[in-house]
Amino acid sequence: MSDSVGQLRAVEHVVVLMLENRSFDHMLGWLYTDQGNVSASGQMFEGLTGTESNPNGNQGKVTVSRIDGTAPGAYFMPGADPDEGYAATNKQLFGTPTPATPAPAATNDGFVTDYANTLALRHRQGRPVYPGTTAADIMGCFTPQALPVLSGLARGFAVADHWFASVPTETLPNRAFACAATSQGHMDDATHTFTVPSIFGLLSDHDISWAVYGYDKQPLTRGNFPDTANAPASHFGLFTDFKAAAAGGTLPAFTFLEPSWGSTGNSQHPNYDVALGEQLIHDVYQALRAGPAWASTLLIITYDEHGGCYDHLPPPTAATPPDNSAGQFGFDFTRFGVRVPTVLVSPLIEPGTVFRVPDDTTPLDHTSILKTIQQRWNLPPLTARDAAAPGIGAVLTRTVARTDDPLTDVTVPTSTGTNPAQHEISHLEQVHADLVARNLIPHT
């Protein structure tokens, strides 16, 4: 077996938990700062130094800050929903909504000024904003102490510090790339369904088991693709069904997990309760670890896109366009999106691992999930994008499964303050309702 695949053949179950709209620096940037951005295993880590800043639009600058989990309202930061669409992402990266093609080098200097405009818009719209929120809050990043579950798993297993969203835009195109390696040219959330094969249909075609679990409703992903909308109901369930499968040793080869989409749910979408997402991550990990298949399970915790939250690392170019689809807004699909948090968990991973691929190769993005599944079960690619993507099998370097638990002494945090968005119907709740109305997802 080649080094690029590692111990992948020892994995019988790949589980993906994809959360919502947070950047790498925002969630994990301080992970190893106090250790000189070197992990416990001696690997360099692309984290924050504390000097990163953005212009404030008034001849000054805003420096990155630490979000203290004990402060009131900390888990509702950055305090309002930033803009993460294609134009806004361009403004955050290049200072303009319409960069040239090919794009110049990104400076990542536009987060504060874009958030200032977004805050003014949110107030005009009557959208929820946490009291006292300012444009400087977009530079706030959670400390490891504030996120002990995510950070504990990142330190206790592996953190992928160069993992990028597949496209520089919002949720549904990135989720389409994560499942089908293309968004068919779409670059906004207006399109809720796609007409291409997904990884789920590919697995079915090769008699390999899979399941998609929503948290408390039938999963949104069920209605996104023809091969999921037409799949037997046995492939879908709720989080309670996932826990039962993990406990009973009946997990399929591939499991895709969704959070709850509501504004009081656990998706971690800004400005919802991040602490509830910590509980979800904890529950997923513990369900797997307590099950009989733990020694042969790989858990991938990631986020679909950055959600307008600050990250200092310019996204790479030279992405492979997935197909011949005409790109919305003239986008050519040769740029990746902003870096997102990704943590790789398996007893076959050494603690303190910082996992990335060489700088002169295709970087990790959401289609690396697809490539890993394809490498493990000898499947063909779905598009040119996942054909070019690297897999993550090389993170698995142990031949004997670990038995320790990095979260042994971890207490899941709880939020203080009031959720400003608690009465808002979330965007993905609306998308889910649309798919139900179109009979692509069952009503119950």
Side-chain angles (χ1 to χ4, degrees):
M1 184 177 299
S2 71
D3 290 343
S4 65
V5 179
Q7 290 292 108
L8 194 56
R9 289 295 174 192
V11 171
E12 300 293 340
H13 310 280
V14 175
V15 178
V16 173
L17 171 61
M18 180 169 276
L19 297 161
E20 279 288 295
N21 291 39
R22 302 279 173 167
S23 71
F24 187 91
D25 276 344
H26 181 70
M27 300 295 275
L28 291 172
W30 300 113
L31 185 69
Y32 288 119
T33 303
D34 295 343
Q35 293 79 43
N37 281 325
V38 178
S39 78
S41 65
Q43 295 176 289
M44 297 300 298
F45 174 73
E46 186 80 58
L48 293 167
T49 65
T51 63
E52 295 82 3
S53 66
N54 258 208
N56 66 4
N58 296 308
Q59 309 304 312
K61 66 179 183 179
V62 179
T63 304
V64 288
S65 58
R66 297 180 183 234
I67 298 176
D68 175 7
T70 64
Y75 292 105
F76 303 110
M77 292 294 98
D81 183 11
D83 196 349
E84 74 275 4
Y86 176 68
T89 301
N90 284 336
K91 286 188 286 185
Q92 293 155 13
L93 296 174
F94 304 105
T96 173
T98 54
T101 301
T107 62
N108 294 38
D109 277 347
F111 284 88
V112 172
T113 53
D114 184 64
Y115 194 49
N117 294 332
T118 298
L119 278 177
L121 175 62
R122 297 293 181 249
H123 284 298
R124 291 196 302 271
Q125 293 171 328
R127 294 279 305 280
V129 176
Y130 198 86
T133 297
T134 70
D137 288 323
I138 203 64
M139 300 297 286
C141 301
F142 286 98
T143 64
Q145 294 75 26
L147 301 180
V149 178
L150 184 65
S151 299
L153 294 175
R155 286 172 167 172
F157 295 98
V159 58
D161 65 341
H162 282 191
W163 185 296
F164 298 87
S166 293
V167 279
T169 190
E170 49 199 328
T171 288
L172 292 180
N174 275 295
R175 285 184 171 266
F177 266 87
C179 295
T182 181
S183 64
Q184 294 187 277
H186 299 292
M187 286 291 290
D188 64 22
D189 280 351
T191 299
H192 303 167
T193 56
F194 304 89
T195 60
V196 292
S198 73
I199 187 64
F200 308 106
L202 181 64
L203 289 167
S204 289
D205 289 344
H206 290 79
D207 297 319
I208 299 168
S209 59
W210 59 271
V212 184
Y213 297 100
Y215 188 76
D216 49 10
K217 294 182 179 179
Q218 283 294 308
L220 185 152
T221 305
R222 184 171 183 174
N224 289 152
F225 305 98
D227 51 23
T228 53
N230 296 323
S234 57
H235 286 288
F236 307 98
L238 306 181
F239 192 68
T240 51
D241 301 310
F242 160 72
K243 290 196 294 184
T250 59
L251 282 174
F254 179 49
T255 299
F256 190 75
L257 299 173
E258 296 181 4
S260 55
W261 299 122
S263 56
T264 58
N266 52 22
S267 72
Q268 297 188 326
H269 189 293
N271 48 347
Y272 309 161
D273 190 343
V274 172
L276 293 179
E278 279 276 281
Q279 184 70 61
L280 174 60
I281 296 168
H282 175 273
D283 293 348
V284 170
Y285 166 71
Q286 294 295 354
L288 294 172
R289 189 177 185 280
W294 171 237
S296 60
T297 297
L298 170 62
L299 168 63
I300 303 170
I301 303 163
T302 191
Y303 292 71
D304 52 17
E305 42 105 351
H306 77 299
C309 298
Y310 174 72
D311 193 77
H312 79 274
L313 188 65
T317 55
T320 299
D323 46 39
N324 294 322
S325 300
Q328 191 177 6
F329 311 121
F331 183 63
D332 63 2
F333 291 91
T334 61
R335 287 192 280 121
F336 291 96
V338 177
R339 188 172 60 148
V340 293
T342 302
V343 174
L344 309 174
V345 179
S346 167
L348 299 175
I349 297 174
E350 293 288 357
T353 297
V354 179
F355 182 72
R356 63 175 79 156
V357 294
D359 290 342
D360 58 350
T361 62
T362 301
L364 298 163
D365 81 317
H366 294 328
T367 62
S368 294
I369 297 171
L370 304 177
K371 185 58 166 279
T372 302
I373 295 167
Q374 291 156 4
Q375 288 176 331
R376 169 58 184 87
W377 284 284
N378 194 28
L379 304 176
L382 291 161
T383 74
R385 173 64 71 85
D386 57 321
I392 62 172
V395 75
L396 306 165
T397 57
R398 292 181 59 92
T399 56
V400 177
R402 293 164 51 190
T403 58
D404 63 302
D405 180 6
L407 298 190
T408 296
D409 298 320
V410 166
T411 300
V412 180
T414 56
S415 61
T416 58
T418 302
N419 181 347
Q422 61 184 317
H423 301 301
E424 185 175 53
I425 298 175
S426 78
H427 169 60
L428 288 179
E429 279 185 309
Q430 295 171 337
V431 172
H432 192 280
D434 169 63
L435 297 175
V436 169
R438 294 161 60 186
N439 294 316
L440 296 172
I441 300 176
H443 287 263
T444 56

